[in-house]
Amino acid sequence: MAHFTVDYFSNALRRATTFQAWIPNDARTDIPGAQVTEWPMKTLFWLHGYTGKSENWVSEDLMTKYNLAVISANAENSFYLDAEATGHQYETMLAIELVDYVRKTFGLALKPEDTYIAGISMGGFGAVHTGLAHPDRFSKIGMLSAALIVRGLRGKTKTDFREGGTANYAYYAGCFGDLDTVTERDTNPEVLLKKLKAAGTPIPPIFQCVGTEDFLLEPNREFHRFLEDEGVAHAYHESKGGHDNIFWQEYAPKMVAWLFEEEHD
């Protein structure tokens, strides 16, 4: 498994940054019975969660089995959104700049049908938001314990956030903009999806999973019901588990299998 740490200058972020790339271009052929896939290589952009960093939740065995490259950027606690402040254009960094860089440097993700996006928690939100904002770049979306918090942010004020909590009002306003209108703008994946439907643009299939002990269970159920009401193709899974590595290690392989199930059944 080839593993790269790439340093590059991001014009969207106005600074140097890094991303990780795992590319299964060195499959073993010296093991009796070893199978080397001849499927064209696909690329998964994998998004980390709040307080996280670039990392890979897809095992080497799965990447080799499906001939799947994984790209993971460092996006800090940005929710993968373009904020108003200079150097905080994280959606642009991910969906435009990084995809173009990977195309130019590695010859990967050249077509949307070869390119997927998925993530955990904040990265799950980033995956569905970015995937719906750029369906010309990503053909499938994976959400693991997604931080679908937009509805819960609407109308919040400074006094609604306790001191020492996960984050304060200034943080959320910095990421999402005016919280009074947050559900009505493109910061809301539901708004993006409705725009795609109105334009007759195909909506990327969505994989969604959440644990029944996860504090984000209800927002995920709400989004699942929204997708059902809108008639959007998606695979929804609830099972015992919390907002933790145990749940994500269980569902990352299931999500990868889902990405390929139609092509290689």
Side-chain angles (χ1 to χ4, degrees):
M1 182 65 56
H3 178 204
F4 303 89
T5 299
V6 181
D7 297 295
Y8 78 105
F9 185 84
S10 168
N11 286 290
L13 303 184
R14 298 289 197 271
R15 58 178 171 79
T17 187
T18 65
F19 70 89
Q20 305 282 322
W22 292 263
I23 304 177
N25 60 353
D26 54 354
R28 295 286 295 271
T29 60
D30 59 335
I31 301 175
Q35 296 181 347
V36 180
T37 179
E38 296 181 357
W39 300 336
M41 187 173 289
K42 303 297 181 75
T43 304
L44 171 64
F45 285 79
W46 181 257
L47 313 187
H48 66 76
Y50 183 78
T51 74
K53 61 181 180 179
S54 59
E55 58 187 339
N56 181 13
W57 282 82
V58 181
S59 71
E60 291 191 7
D61 288 344
L62 278 172
M63 288 190 287
T64 300
K65 175 181 178 180
Y66 291 109
N67 204 20
L68 177 67
V70 175
I71 306 294
S72 184
N74 282 309
E76 284 110 22
N77 295 332
S78 64
F79 269 85
Y80 300 88
L81 294 170
D82 281 355
E84 184 177 351
T86 299
H88 285 68
Q89 282 62 58
Y90 286 91
E91 178 188 332
T92 298
M93 177 276 290
L94 172 64
I96 305 301
E97 187 176 73
L98 187 57
V99 171
D100 286 349
Y101 191 96
V102 167
R103 288 173 173 176
K104 179 175 64 175
T105 306
F106 295 106
L108 297 170
L110 298 176
K111 299 179 292 185
E113 56 265 35
D114 296 333
T115 312
Y116 311 133
I117 188 167
I120 56 174
S121 194
M122 181 189 80
F125 173 89
V128 71
H129 181 273
T130 307
L132 294 177
H134 302 273
D136 57 328
R137 298 205 156 210
F138 305 99
S139 62
K140 292 184 179 180
I141 298 166
M143 309 160 58
L144 281 69
S145 309
L148 298 163
I149 63 173
V150 171
R151 288 187 181 184
L153 290 176
R154 180 178 172 84
K156 296 289 187 182
T157 65
K158 291 181 180 180
T159 58
D160 292 314
F161 298 91
R162 66 180 179 84
E163 185 176 350
T166 302
N168 61 15
Y169 174 87
Y171 164 75
Y172 289 112
C175 289
F176 291 90
D178 181 5
L179 298 189
D180 287 336
T181 62
V182 67
T183 58
E184 302 162 17
R185 293 181 282 105
D186 286 356
T187 46
N188 184 358
E190 296 179 13
V191 170
L192 293 173
L193 189 146
K194 288 181 177 181
K195 286 184 176 181
L196 293 182
K197 284 191 66 176
T201 302
I203 296 168
I206 297 170
F207 178 98
Q208 182 185 8
C209 65
V210 65
T212 52
E213 286 69 54
D214 195 319
F215 68 96
L216 292 170
L217 175 61
E218 287 307 318
N220 274 269
R221 285 176 169 172
E222 287 179 356
F223 193 73
H224 166 53
R225 289 191 291 268
F226 166 77
L227 293 176
E228 286 188 319
D229 291 343
E230 294 294 327
V232 174
H234 68 294
Y236 179 76
H237 302 272
E238 271 186 32
S239 68
K240 185 175 177 59
H243 198 79
D244 54 37
N245 294 346
I246 296 173
F247 185 81
W248 301 328
Q249 287 173 343
E250 176 186 355
Y251 271 93
K254 295 179 181 180
M255 186 270 296
V256 172
W258 171 84
L259 291 174
F260 289 91
E261 65 183 7
E262 294 180 2
E263 297 180 48
H264 304 302
D265 278 347

